[in-house]
């Protein structure tokens, strides 16, 4: 028989059963480049504070991970999604892989045209997708947890501990004062 052309090819299958029953189904077979470009993120979780500047983490794509694709044939799509599932369009976009800053070791950096600062607390999702010219996709995500305070101890707990320390010092001073006064009366 004949070979299949490179690209997506539809193949139909007609199956008959019984006296008059039949069923048909079409399958799509992808011929050619079927392997997505693989990459690794430098992190899977980050912690920030409201007002901190956002930047994409670096990611690594080695020559082996390109699977025969050229970096100029790979499109990088990047998104930042706020809590509540709203995309931050100011920092979302796409570029060809070979247009990103990179090192010889295949570490790539997405540079932003404008600065974005976190405006509300919650979990932000960062999604980076690499798509080659054949349409194969590889997606990686990571989370940035944004809080309103940099303190790891809640303010109410800090205030309570300060009050308890002051009360403790006053109690000790009171006991010492009582003992000193009590000794003077007995002497």
């Amino acid at each position: 028989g004949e070979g299949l052309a490179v690209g997506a090819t539809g193949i139909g299958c007609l199956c008959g059963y019984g006296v008059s029953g039949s069923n048909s189904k079409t399958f799509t077979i992808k011929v050619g480049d079927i392997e997505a470009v693989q990459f690794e993120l430098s992190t899977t979780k980050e912690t920030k504070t409201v007002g901190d500047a956002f930047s994409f983490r670096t990611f690594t794509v080695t020559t082996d991970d390109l699977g025969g694709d050229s970096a100029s044939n790979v499109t990088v799509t990047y998104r930042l999604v706020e809590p509540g599932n709203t995309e931050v369009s100011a920092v979302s976009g796409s570029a060809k892989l070979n247009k990103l800053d990179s090192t010889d070791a295949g570490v790539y950096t997405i540079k932003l045209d404008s600065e974005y600062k976190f405006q509300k607390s919650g979990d932000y999702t960062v999604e980076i997708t690499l798509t080659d010219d054949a349409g194969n996709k590889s997606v990686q995500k990571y989370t940035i947890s944004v809080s309103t305070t940099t303190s790891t101890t809640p303010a109410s707990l800090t205030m309570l501990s300060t009050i308890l320390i002051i009360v403790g010092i006053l109690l000790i001073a009171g006991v010492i004062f009582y003992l000193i006064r009590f000794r003077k009366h007995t002497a």
Side-chain angles (χ1 to χ4, degrees):
E2 293 180 31
L4 298 173
V6 172
T9 303
I11 297 180
C13 177
L14 179 61
C15 300
Y17 55 90
V19 175
S20 64
S22 68
N23 194 0
S24 67
K25 179 76 176 162
T26 301
F27 301 93
T28 301
I29 298 177
K30 202 170 180 185
V31 179
D33 181 5
I34 60 170
E35 189 174 326
V37 174
Q38 299 301 309
F39 68 104
E40 292 181 23
L41 291 171
S42 62
T43 187
T44 56
K45 183 114 172 122
E46 259 186 88
T47 304
K48 296 283 188 176
T49 304
V50 171
D52 285 352
F54 167 75
S55 64
F56 285 97
R57 305 308 331 140
T58 59
F59 61 94
T60 304
V61 181
T62 65
T63 306
D64 292 341
D65 294 334
L66 283 172
D69 285 309
S70 162
S72 62
N73 295 337
V74 176
T75 301
V76 180
T77 306
Y78 41 93
R79 299 178 31 174
L80 174 64
V81 180
E82 291 181 325
N85 212 22
T86 305
E87 184 174 340
V88 180
S89 59
V91 297
S92 298
S94 66
K96 288 291 187 181
L97 184 61
N98 65 332
K99 298 295 183 188
L100 299 178
D101 288 347
S102 66
T103 66
D104 290 335
V107 177
Y108 291 86
T109 304
I110 298 169
K111 298 279 186 182
L112 299 174
D113 293 334
S114 60
E115 185 178 85
Y116 174 78
K117 293 188 178 194
F118 294 106
Q119 299 170 3
K120 57 183 169 181
S121 61
D123 286 340
Y124 288 69
T125 302
V126 178
E127 180 180 291
I128 299 176
T129 305
L130 272 56
T131 308
D132 64 16
D133 283 350
N136 302 310
K137 292 183 179 187
S138 181
V139 180
Q140 299 263 352
K141 296 179 182 182
Y142 65 95
T143 303
I144 301 174
S145 295
V146 178
S147 64
T148 55
T149 178
T150 56
S151 174
T152 56
T153 307
S156 59
L157 185 59
T158 304
M159 185 186 300
L160 179 63
S161 62
T162 303
I163 291 171
L164 287 175
I165 290 171
I166 291 170
V167 168
I169 291 171
L170 289 174
L171 281 172
I172 292 171
V175 168
I176 292 172
F177 179 73
Y178 176 78
L179 290 175
I180 292 171
R181 191 159 191 231
F182 181 70
R183 283 189 171 202
K184 284 186 180 179
H185 287 318
T186 58

